[in-house]
Amino acid sequence: MRVRRLMATAGVFGVLALTAHPAIAQDDKQIHSNSIRENAIAMKALPLDSPRFVYDSGLTFEYPDAVRGIYVTGNSAGGSRFDELLNLTESTDLNAMVIDIKDDWGNVTFEGDKDSPYAKIGKSYIKDPRAMLEKMEKKQVYPIARIVVFKDSLLPKEKPELSFQDGGKIWVNGRGEAFVNPFLKEVWDYNVGIAIEAAKLGFKEIQFDYVRFPEGFENRDNQLKYEMGEYKDMKEDNVQKRVHAVTDFVAYAREKLKPYGVKISVDIFGYTATMPEAPGIGQNFSKISENVDVISSMIYPSHWTSYFGIAKPDLEPYKLVREYAKVENKKLSELKNPPISRPWLQDFTASYLGSGNYRVYGKAEVEEQIKALYDSGIEEYLLWNAGNTYSPGVDYTPETE
């Protein structure tokens, strides 16, 4: 069994990050993304016996032999379902939970300190997050805090200038969801501050989701009104500016969170691994992968069109995942320090695809996806079910070819 231990991080920059939270020092807002690299170089130059400044939450979690996790909403984490899901991990080879800390609408899922800058957006979904984490520590269930970054319907109400606007109103997509602007450092700091709160609670990994511009942004780029911040005068087209903004945020967040000893993971669309970069949303698989500890591609078979020569991917979960893994393995092999691959798999039925285009997903379909990863040399994964109802009887650690 290989155990990857979370490494403590040394450096003077750690002190700065600790003292700067949660507002993140005002003068820091003038620092360009180049400063991140400069800080990293300065840290490498420190002698090995430099004092360590790493926040200690008081909780201890060992990194599992391989993370096999499930998604947990704030409501599930704070209600009776939590014990059921904890029992699921105890009775199977599952060993991790990805828990909503900032959800898809922008809510923080626990109330926290009344003096916190996030008190207004804190909900009482998880009434006692520390007690929840202590339960997880006792069972050694690895805790991952999910933070939805740039999809946020709350922050624009307070500060519309941080969002995209259309005709004087906050722009929303077809589902009524607003986004905040990845070009703006204030938006970065807002989300990094929430991540720091999660790390201080005792979470051992921060998973950033919706690290991107809205889907189809290339088609409304000129229609919407928004600021470009430091990227305005960059001598590149808007596609590259978006790629820089998304990648720079990930690098910035990783640097700011180093003093808290947490791993950084990012969710990313699976199709981004199949192209140089996604032009509208600003995701470049390789560039993001270079700045994280874990990359989690969302490779649900239901979310693909006829990629890899598979006409109806939802009907062929093993083949879809196996073909995707070939592409991802090649891309990661080209990186100097590739992250851990930990894809999101499908444990839900996509009936919305229509008759003849979907399968009812259960034990067999989940096992096919896991087996495809294992046969491709990928041993970590996460299961997604929006209602947190997971298929019973699944073999989560199959034999490989």
Side-chain angles (χ1 to χ4, degrees):
M1 302 280 278
R2 64 186 190 284
V3 178
R4 302 187 186 96
R5 296 180 181 273
L6 295 174
M7 301 302 292
T9 306
V12 174
F13 188 67
V15 182
L16 297 177
L18 282 169
T19 56
H21 174 69
I24 310 292
Q26 289 300 309
D27 58 347
D28 186 43
K29 292 183 179 178
Q30 303 303 315
I31 299 175
H32 290 259
S33 56
N34 286 343
S35 298
I36 299 167
R37 289 185 286 273
E38 290 167 7
N39 280 319
I41 292 168
M43 287 173 66
K44 288 179 182 177
L46 290 170
L48 293 176
D49 60 351
S50 292
R52 292 170 179 254
F53 299 96
V54 180
Y55 185 87
D56 182 4
S57 69
L59 299 179
T60 302
F61 292 90
E62 293 286 352
Y63 195 94
D65 63 311
V67 167
R68 298 176 290 274
I70 53 175
Y71 166 62
V72 181
T73 65
N75 281 320
S76 290
S80 60
R81 288 293 309 284
F82 181 72
D83 286 334
E84 294 174 26
L85 294 170
L86 203 57
N87 289 337
L88 176 63
T89 64
E90 194 169 20
S91 61
T92 66
D93 285 327
L94 293 171
N95 56 27
M97 289 183 178
V98 179
I99 299 173
D100 275 345
I101 290 300
K102 179 176 178 243
D103 68 17
D104 288 56
W105 294 97
N107 301 299
V108 169
T109 58
F110 63 96
E111 289 185 337
D113 195 307
K114 290 180 181 178
D115 296 327
S116 166
Y118 307 103
K120 283 186 178 179
I121 59 170
K123 302 293 183 181
S124 59
Y125 303 148
I126 306 173
K127 291 180 175 58
D128 192 342
R130 180 68 180 194
M132 176 193 73
L133 286 163
E134 287 172 354
K135 278 188 179 181
M136 295 176 73
E137 181 190 35
K138 191 174 292 185
K139 305 285 187 183
Q140 277 301 293
V141 175
Y142 183 67
I144 304 169
R146 176 177 179 255
I147 293 177
V148 176
V149 182
F150 298 125
K151 185 171 79 165
D152 190 325
S153 296
L154 290 184
L155 184 56
K157 291 178 181 178
E158 291 287 322
K159 295 192 171 186
E161 70 275 12
L162 300 182
S163 67
F164 302 102
Q165 297 186 48
D166 186 11
K169 295 181 180 178
I170 296 167
W171 175 84
V172 296
N173 63 18
R175 294 181 293 277
E177 302 161 328
F179 277 69
V180 285
N181 187 349
F183 284 124
L184 302 181
K185 194 77 167 299
E186 187 175 348
V187 172
W188 296 9
D189 287 334
Y190 178 82
N191 284 281
V192 169
I194 295 171
I196 289 173
E197 293 291 338
K200 288 167 71 175
L201 281 172
F203 281 93
K204 302 312 292 183
E205 183 171 317
I206 305 298
Q207 181 191 89
F208 292 113
D209 198 359
Y210 285 86
V211 185
R212 60 177 177 82
F213 286 76
E215 290 176 75
F217 195 81
E218 68 274 28
N219 300 320
R220 57 180 64 92
D221 189 358
N222 297 320
Q223 164 196 339
L224 300 178
K225 181 182 177 183
Y226 60 95
E227 298 295 326
M228 297 190 83
E230 299 172 0
Y231 298 89
K232 181 179 180 181
D233 298 324
M234 183 178 283
K235 290 180 168 48
E236 293 189 80
D237 63 23
N238 283 359
V239 170
Q240 288 306 310
K241 287 178 181 178
R242 289 193 287 272
V243 169
H244 280 294
V246 168
T247 305
D248 288 350
F249 164 75
V250 175
Y252 179 83
R254 189 185 199 185
E255 198 66 38
K256 288 293 185 184
L257 284 157
K258 276 186 177 179
Y260 299 89
V262 291
K263 286 189 181 295
I264 303 300
S265 56
V266 163
D267 294 340
I268 190 169
F269 278 135
Y271 75 84
T272 60
T274 69
M275 58 180 64
E277 55 212 7
I281 62 176
Q283 287 186 341
N284 179 304
F285 180 88
S286 297
K287 289 180 178 179
I288 290 175
S289 293
E290 287 173 334
N291 289 286
V292 295
D293 301 295
V294 180
I295 191 76
S296 288
S297 288
M298 298 174 284
I299 56 173
Y300 318 120
S302 62
H303 282 35
W304 295 82
T305 54
S306 54
Y307 269 74
F308 311 119
I310 307 171
K312 298 180 179 181
D314 197 61
L315 302 182
E316 301 188 61
Y318 178 90
K319 186 175 181 183
L320 184 282
V321 172
R322 191 71 192 269
E323 290 301 314
Y324 169 82
K326 291 176 185 176
V327 174
E328 185 188 270
N329 283 342
K330 184 176 185 300
K331 279 229 169 180
L332 291 180
S333 71
E334 295 166 355
L335 302 181
K336 186 177 180 181
N337 295 300
I340 296 166
S341 172
R342 188 196 298 154
W344 278 102
L345 302 180
Q346 177 174 330
D347 195 356
F348 60 87
T349 297
S351 55
Y352 54 82
L353 293 175
S355 179
N357 297 311
Y358 75 93
R359 278 167 68 171
V360 174
Y361 271 53
K363 177 181 186 297
E365 290 72 21
V366 173
E367 288 181 346
E368 284 185 42
Q369 295 172 83
I370 296 170
K371 182 72 160 57
L373 288 181
Y374 271 56
D375 289 345
S376 304
I378 301 171
E379 297 181 4
E380 299 207 6
Y381 58 84
L382 302 169
L383 299 177
W384 180 272
N385 180 287
N388 305 161
T389 303
Y390 296 97
S391 299
V394 171
D395 179 1
Y396 293 113
T397 52
E399 295 294 323
T400 57
E401 285 183 346

